Amino acid sequence: MDLRLGGKRAIVTGASRGIGLAVARALAAEGVRIALVARGEAGLKAARDDLAGRGADVLALSADSADDDAVRAAVAQTADEFGGVDILVNAAARPAQASSARPVTDLADDDLRTEMETKVLGYLRFARAVVPHMTPQGWGRIINMSGLNARRTGDTFGSIRNVAVSALTKNLADELGPHGINVTVVHPGLTVTERAPELIASMAAARGISESEARSTLAAGTSLRRLVTAAEVADVVAFLASPRSVAITGDAVAVGGGVPGPIWY
C-alpha cells in the first residue's frame, strides 16, 4: 500500500532513541522530511547521522518540551527549513516509573508535576505550535504516544499522565477535525527498545530468576506471547500519519501485542 507520504514534512519529538527514533526511521523510509527533536545533543547527532545515512532529508533540533519558547522556536525553524509542517509525532517523555512499589503515602507531588509538565503539557505545547501551520493548508496529522498504563492500575502517575494524554487527544481531534487535522493517541505496552535489556535484567534480579525466565514472563502478558518491537510500533504510527488514516481520529490505538482477557470496545 502506498501511504502517500512522499514529500510530507514531520516533526518527531523524543526522536533520539526508542520509539521516537523508530518512528523517524519509518517515516523517512516513506519519503517524509524529518525534523528530529530531543534534548540531548549527542543522541540527536547520532540519530541525524543514522537517518542521513539512509538517505533522509533530516533536520536535528535541540529543544525541551517543558520550555514553550524552545518548542515554538523548533517548530518555526522546521517550517522555515521545510516550507511547512504536515505531521507531528509527540514521543518526548520520561520513561515510565514503577510507582506501584510505593504506597500512596510515598507518592510525591513534584513527581507528578514533572510527569505532567514533560509529557502532557509538552505534547500540548508542540500541538499548539504546529496547528497554525496545518490549519491554512487544510491537512495535518498529530499522533500522541502514550501507553497502556492508561488502561490499567499499578503505576499511579503513569496512569494519570497517559489518561491525560488521551483526554488531550480527543479534545484536539474534535476541534481540529473540521480543518482536516486528525489527532490520535497510540498506547504501546512494554516495547523492545534500547532500554529492554536493562529492564529485563532488573526484573530478573528482583525476582531471583534468569533473564530468559523474565523475558518469558513479560511476553506471557501479551496475546502474541512476545514483546512488540519499536519498529513494529512505528509501522502503525506511519499509517496513522498518512492520508490513508483519514477515518481514524480522536481514538486510541493500542500497540502492545494485545492484552489477554479484557474486551475493549
Side-chain angles (χ1 to χ4, degrees), residues 15 28 36 55-57 65 113 120 123 129 141 144 156 160 177 181 183 202 212 247:
L36 305 171
D57 185 353
S65 64
R113 289 190 183 100
V120 183
Y123 285 12
R141 295 288 185 269
N144 294 321
T156 304
I160 291 171
I181 303 169
V183 190
S202 296
S212 178

Side-chain angles (χ1 to χ4, degrees), residues 11 13 86-90 123 126-127 130 134 141-143:
I11 295 173
T13 75
D86 302 297
I87 299 160
L88 168 65
V89 180
N90 273 317
Y123 285 12
F126 270 98
V130 300
M134 294 179 177
R141 295 288 185 269
I142 299 173
I143 299 103

Side-chain angles (χ1 to χ4, degrees), residues 2-63:
D2 178 6
L3 293 182
R4 303 173 185 167
L5 278 169
K8 296 292 187 187
R9 302 150 300 184
I11 295 173
V12 181
T13 75
S16 62
R17 61 183 180 179
I19 291 174
L21 178 55
V23 167
R25 287 170 176 160
L27 292 177
E30 296 294 329
V32 178
R33 305 170 75 186
I34 307 288
L36 305 171
V37 180
R39 291 182 298 176
E41 295 282 357
L44 260 179
K45 181 181 183 304
R48 181 195 62 202
D49 292 348
D50 176 89
L51 265 69
R54 299 166 186 254
D57 185 353
V58 60
L59 178 67
L61 302 171
S62 178

Side-chain angles (χ1 to χ4, degrees), residues 94-105:
R94 295 201 317 169
Q97 303 297 310
S99 63
S100 57
R102 293 181 290 165
V104 64
T105 50

Side-chain angles (χ1 to χ4, degrees), residues 197-198 200-205 209-218:
E198 177 187 346
I200 290 169
S202 296
M203 178 181 176
I209 58 178
S210 69
E211 291 189 16
S212 178
E213 290 172 313
R215 191 177 296 105
S216 296
T217 298
L218 293 171

